[in-house]
Amino acid sequence: MIDQDVTGQDIVVEVWSDVLCPWCYIGKTRFQAALDRFENKDRVKVIWRSYQLAPETPVGEGRAVVDAMAARRGTTVDQLGEVLDHVTTTAAELGLELNYDAALASNTFDAHRLLHLAGDKQSDLLDALFKAFFRDGKMIDDREELVRIAVSVGLDADTVRDQLASDAAAAAVREDLAMARQFQVSGVPFFVANRAIAVSGAQTEDVFLQLLTAASQPA
């Protein structure tokens, strides 16, 4: 079941992504550009759903993300160079900054909880989280850092602090992760329109426009 109010909006796009995924950052930017071009934009409800690429990451470890990536892939940081150069260049073409020299490996579970609690600020918060992680080298599994990021998009500090200190939205994150397994999502970003049409990866603007156009057609 789609668990958010979509009254009056008959195109529902659910997107599984993770905050430490550069292609999710790129994909979100390209999708937003396509949405801005879409003539029926007001009919679209976008729901950002949780996915964890590295759920085993210890909270607060603060390890360099390139070291963590190399360990997961069984390679060396030097051998990652070509991959990182490619994604960094692709991001830069969209005006996005990926600073892998500063990025710190983080467990994203609390960040995903916060995204579920952000209401109509969800998209803005996700952008702010991407910038904090990729550009500014912030530890996005530090709850006080998450409070600061939330405040930057207009959320209340005390409310966010209390929410993070509780189990608020933990069940919602786990439900997203379970749905990803059900849909056999093996990589992110993963876009699903009306639970009928799926697109995987950081596709081009035109591909996302085609997705939105197809979803707008009568069943």
Side-chain angles (χ1 to χ4, degrees), residues 97-114:
E97 184 178 350
L98 305 186
N99 182 5
Y100 275 105
D101 289 335
L104 299 171
S106 300
N107 188 299
T108 56
F109 192 87
D110 277 348
H112 285 301
R113 288 205 294 135
L114 188 55

PDB file of all heavy atoms in Angstrom, residues 97-114:
ATOM      1  N   GLU A  97      28.763  18.640  -6.416  1.00  0.00           N
ATOM      2  CA  GLU A  97      30.136  18.456  -5.958  1.00  0.00           C
ATOM      3  C   GLU A  97      30.260  17.183  -5.143  1.00  0.00           C
ATOM      4  O   GLU A  97      29.582  17.015  -4.125  1.00  0.00           O
ATOM      5  CB  GLU A  97      30.573  19.651  -5.107  1.00  0.00           C
ATOM      6  CG  GLU A  97      32.027  19.574  -4.664  1.00  0.00           C
ATOM      7  CD  GLU A  97      32.464  20.787  -3.860  1.00  0.00           C
ATOM      8  OE1 GLU A  97      31.699  21.769  -3.804  1.00  0.00           O
ATOM      9  OE2 GLU A  97      33.571  20.742  -3.284  1.00  0.00           O
ATOM     10  N   LEU A  98      31.126  16.278  -5.596  1.00  0.00           N
ATOM     11  CA  LEU A  98      31.443  15.057  -4.853  1.00  0.00           C
ATOM     12  C   LEU A  98      32.876  15.171  -4.365  1.00  0.00           C
ATOM     13  O   LEU A  98      33.810  15.090  -5.156  1.00  0.00           O
ATOM     14  CB  LEU A  98      31.284  13.813  -5.734  1.00  0.00           C
ATOM     15  CG  LEU A  98      29.939  13.601  -6.439  1.00  0.00           C
ATOM     16  CD1 LEU A  98      29.938  12.249  -7.149  1.00  0.00           C
ATOM     17  CD2 LEU A  98      28.771  13.695  -5.474  1.00  0.00           C
ATOM     18  N   ASN A  99      33.038  15.337  -3.083  1.00  0.00           N
ATOM     19  CA  ASN A  99      34.366  15.506  -2.492  1.00  0.00           C
ATOM     20  C   ASN A  99      34.745  14.228  -1.747  1.00  0.00           C
ATOM     21  O   ASN A  99      34.561  14.111  -0.529  1.00  0.00           O
ATOM     22  CB  ASN A  99      34.371  16.708  -1.549  1.00  0.00           C
ATOM     23  CG  ASN A  99      35.740  16.971  -0.947  1.00  0.00           C
ATOM     24  OD1 ASN A  99      36.730  16.322  -1.298  1.00  0.00           O
ATOM     25  ND2 ASN A  99      35.811  17.909  -0.022  1.00  0.00           N
ATOM     26  N   TYR A 100      35.272  13.267  -2.488  1.00  0.00           N
ATOM     27  CA  TYR A 100      35.579  11.972  -1.880  1.00  0.00           C
ATOM     28  C   TYR A 100      36.762  12.049  -0.912  1.00  0.00           C
ATOM     29  O   TYR A 100      36.934  11.152  -0.089  1.00  0.00           O
ATOM     30  CB  TYR A 100      35.829  10.922  -2.960  1.00  0.00           C
ATOM     31  CG  TYR A 100      34.555  10.293  -3.456  1.00  0.00           C
ATOM     32  CD1 TYR A 100      34.014  10.630  -4.687  1.00  0.00           C
ATOM     33  CD2 TYR A 100      33.879   9.361  -2.677  1.00  0.00           C
ATOM     34  CE1 TYR A 100      32.836  10.061  -5.135  1.00  0.00           C
ATOM     35  CE2 TYR A 100      32.702   8.787  -3.123  1.00  0.00           C
ATOM     36  CZ  TYR A 100      32.184   9.140  -4.347  1.00  0.00           C
ATOM     37  OH  TYR A 100      31.013   8.567  -4.776  1.00  0.00           O
ATOM     38  N   ASP A 101      37.546  13.100  -0.976  1.00  0.00           N
ATOM     39  CA  ASP A 101      38.641  13.247  -0.019  1.00  0.00           C
ATOM     40  C   ASP A 101      38.116  13.550   1.380  1.00  0.00           C
ATOM     41  O   ASP A 101      38.794  13.289   2.379  1.00  0.00           O
ATOM     42  CB  ASP A 101      39.586  14.373  -0.454  1.00  0.00           C
ATOM     43  CG  ASP A 101      40.398  14.003  -1.683  1.00  0.00           C
ATOM     44  OD1 ASP A 101      40.593  12.789  -1.916  1.00  0.00           O
ATOM     45  OD2 ASP A 101      40.816  14.920  -2.417  1.00  0.00           O
ATOM     46  N   ALA A 102      36.900  14.105   1.454  1.00  0.00           N
ATOM     47  CA  ALA A 102      36.335  14.501   2.746  1.00  0.00           C
ATOM     48  C   ALA A 102      35.233  13.557   3.236  1.00  0.00           C
ATOM     49  O   ALA A 102      34.956  13.509   4.437  1.00  0.00           O
ATOM     50  CB  ALA A 102      35.776  15.920   2.658  1.00  0.00           C
ATOM     51  N   ALA A 103      34.588  12.825   2.325  1.00  0.00           N
ATOM     52  CA  ALA A 103      33.405  12.035   2.693  1.00  0.00           C
ATOM     53  C   ALA A 103      33.734  10.946   3.707  1.00  0.00           C
ATOM     54  O   ALA A 103      34.746  10.258   3.603  1.00  0.00           O
ATOM     55  CB  ALA A 103      32.792  11.413   1.441  1.00  0.00           C
ATOM     56  N   LEU A 104      32.843  10.804   4.692  1.00  0.00           N
ATOM     57  CA  LEU A 104      33.020   9.838   5.771  1.00  0.00           C
ATOM     58  C   LEU A 104      31.923   8.784   5.727  1.00  0.00           C
ATOM     59  O   LEU A 104      30.730   9.117   5.620  1.00  0.00           O
ATOM     60  CB  LEU A 104      32.984  10.559   7.129  1.00  0.00           C
ATOM     61  CG  LEU A 104      34.064  11.618   7.353  1.00  0.00           C
ATOM     62  CD1 LEU A 104      33.780  12.395   8.629  1.00  0.00           C
ATOM     63  CD2 LEU A 104      35.442  10.964   7.415  1.00  0.00           C
ATOM     64  N   ALA A 105      32.320   7.521   5.809  1.00  0.00           N
ATOM     65  CA  ALA A 105      31.351   6.431   5.814  1.00  0.00           C
ATOM     66  C   ALA A 105      30.379   6.609   6.971  1.00  0.00           C
ATOM     67  O   ALA A 105      30.781   6.943   8.095  1.00  0.00           O
ATOM     68  CB  ALA A 105      32.064   5.090   5.923  1.00  0.00           C
ATOM     69  N   SER A 106      29.108   6.413   6.704  1.00  0.00           N
ATOM     70  CA  SER A 106      28.079   6.613   7.718  1.00  0.00           C
ATOM     71  C   SER A 106      27.000   5.552   7.571  1.00  0.00           C
ATOM     72  O   SER A 106      26.735   5.069   6.471  1.00  0.00           O
ATOM     73  CB  SER A 106      27.431   8.000   7.574  1.00  0.00           C
ATOM     74  OG  SER A 106      28.373   9.038   7.715  1.00  0.00           O
ATOM     75  N   ASN A 107      26.367   5.227   8.692  1.00  0.00           N
ATOM     76  CA  ASN A 107      25.180   4.373   8.653  1.00  0.00           C
ATOM     77  C   ASN A 107      23.978   5.289   8.412  1.00  0.00           C
ATOM     78  O   ASN A 107      23.773   6.257   9.145  1.00  0.00           O
ATOM     79  CB  ASN A 107      25.021   3.621   9.977  1.00  0.00           C
ATOM     80  CG  ASN A 107      23.922   2.590   9.906  1.00  0.00           C
ATOM     81  OD1 ASN A 107      22.765   2.916   9.670  1.00  0.00           O
ATOM     82  ND2 ASN A 107      24.281   1.332  10.105  1.00  0.00           N
ATOM     83  N   THR A 108      23.186   5.007   7.393  1.00  0.00           N
ATOM     84  CA  THR A 108      22.151   5.946   6.966  1.00  0.00           C
ATOM     85  C   THR A 108      20.769   5.664   7.544  1.00  0.00           C
ATOM     86  O   THR A 108      19.792   6.312   7.158  1.00  0.00           O
ATOM     87  CB  THR A 108      22.058   5.958   5.428  1.00  0.00           C
ATOM     88  OG1 THR A 108      21.822   4.627   4.944  1.00  0.00           O
ATOM     89  CG2 THR A 108      23.336   6.514   4.807  1.00  0.00           C
ATOM     90  N   PHE A 109      20.656   4.748   8.490  1.00  0.00           N
ATOM     91  CA  PHE A 109      19.327   4.382   9.001  1.00  0.00           C
ATOM     92  C   PHE A 109      18.622   5.589   9.619  1.00  0.00           C
ATOM     93  O   PHE A 109      17.448   5.849   9.334  1.00  0.00           O
ATOM     94  CB  PHE A 109      19.433   3.247  10.019  1.00  0.00           C
ATOM     95  CG  PHE A 109      18.100   2.640  10.368  1.00  0.00           C
ATOM     96  CD1 PHE A 109      17.564   1.617   9.602  1.00  0.00           C
ATOM     97  CD2 PHE A 109      17.374   3.085  11.467  1.00  0.00           C
ATOM     98  CE1 PHE A 109      16.324   1.056   9.903  1.00  0.00           C
ATOM     99  CE2 PHE A 109      16.142   2.530  11.785  1.00  0.00           C
ATOM    100  CZ  PHE A 109      15.622   1.517  11.005  1.00  0.00           C
ATOM    101  N   ASP A 110      19.309   6.346  10.478  1.00  0.00           N
ATOM    102  CA  ASP A 110      18.677   7.511  11.103  1.00  0.00           C
ATOM    103  C   ASP A 110      18.348   8.588  10.077  1.00  0.00           C
ATOM    104  O   ASP A 110      17.325   9.276  10.199  1.00  0.00           O
ATOM    105  CB  ASP A 110      19.571   8.093  12.195  1.00  0.00           C
ATOM    106  CG  ASP A 110      19.438   7.370  13.526  1.00  0.00           C
ATOM    107  OD1 ASP A 110      18.496   6.562  13.681  1.00  0.00           O
ATOM    108  OD2 ASP A 110      20.271   7.603  14.415  1.00  0.00           O
ATOM    109  N   ALA A 111      19.197   8.768   9.079  1.00  0.00           N
ATOM    110  CA  ALA A 111      18.903   9.736   8.026  1.00  0.00           C
ATOM    111  C   ALA A 111      17.621   9.358   7.298  1.00  0.00           C
ATOM    112  O   ALA A 111      16.784  10.230   6.985  1.00  0.00           O
ATOM    113  CB  ALA A 111      20.070   9.822   7.049  1.00  0.00           C
ATOM    114  N   HIS A 112      17.432   8.070   7.061  1.00  0.00           N
ATOM    115  CA  HIS A 112      16.201   7.622   6.413  1.00  0.00           C
ATOM    116  C   HIS A 112      14.996   7.814   7.325  1.00  0.00           C
ATOM    117  O   HIS A 112      13.896   8.168   6.854  1.00  0.00           O
ATOM    118  CB  HIS A 112      16.324   6.161   5.995  1.00  0.00           C
ATOM    119  CG  HIS A 112      17.178   5.953   4.782  1.00  0.00           C
ATOM    120  ND1 HIS A 112      16.901   6.540   3.567  1.00  0.00           N
ATOM    121  CD2 HIS A 112      18.304   5.218   4.592  1.00  0.00           C
ATOM    122  CE1 HIS A 112      17.813   6.184   2.681  1.00  0.00           C
ATOM    123  NE2 HIS A 112      18.676   5.383   3.276  1.00  0.00           N
ATOM    124  N   ARG A 113      15.170   7.581   8.622  1.00  0.00           N
ATOM    125  CA  ARG A 113      14.069   7.862   9.561  1.00  0.00           C
ATOM    126  C   ARG A 113      13.665   9.331   9.461  1.00  0.00           C
ATOM    127  O   ARG A 113      12.483   9.662   9.414  1.00  0.00           O
ATOM    128  CB  ARG A 113      14.488   7.545  10.996  1.00  0.00           C
ATOM    129  CG  ARG A 113      14.616   6.077  11.310  1.00  0.00           C
ATOM    130  CD  ARG A 113      14.423   5.822  12.800  1.00  0.00           C
ATOM    131  NE  ARG A 113      15.472   6.414  13.619  1.00  0.00           N
ATOM    132  CZ  ARG A 113      15.250   7.093  14.739  1.00  0.00           C
ATOM    133  NH1 ARG A 113      14.033   7.306  15.183  1.00  0.00           N
ATOM    134  NH2 ARG A 113      16.282   7.581  15.427  1.00  0.00           N
ATOM    135  N   LEU A 114      14.669  10.197   9.447  1.00  0.00           N
ATOM    136  CA  LEU A 114      14.402  11.626   9.378  1.00  0.00           C
ATOM    137  C   LEU A 114      13.680  12.000   8.084  1.00  0.00           C
ATOM    138  O   LEU A 114      12.771  12.841   8.091  1.00  0.00           O
ATOM    139  CB  LEU A 114      15.725  12.389   9.506  1.00  0.00           C
ATOM    140  CG  LEU A 114      15.653  13.906   9.655  1.00  0.00           C
ATOM    141  CD1 LEU A 114      14.767  14.299  10.822  1.00  0.00           C
ATOM    142  CD2 LEU A 114      17.057  14.471   9.833  1.00  0.00           C
TER     143      LEU A 114
END
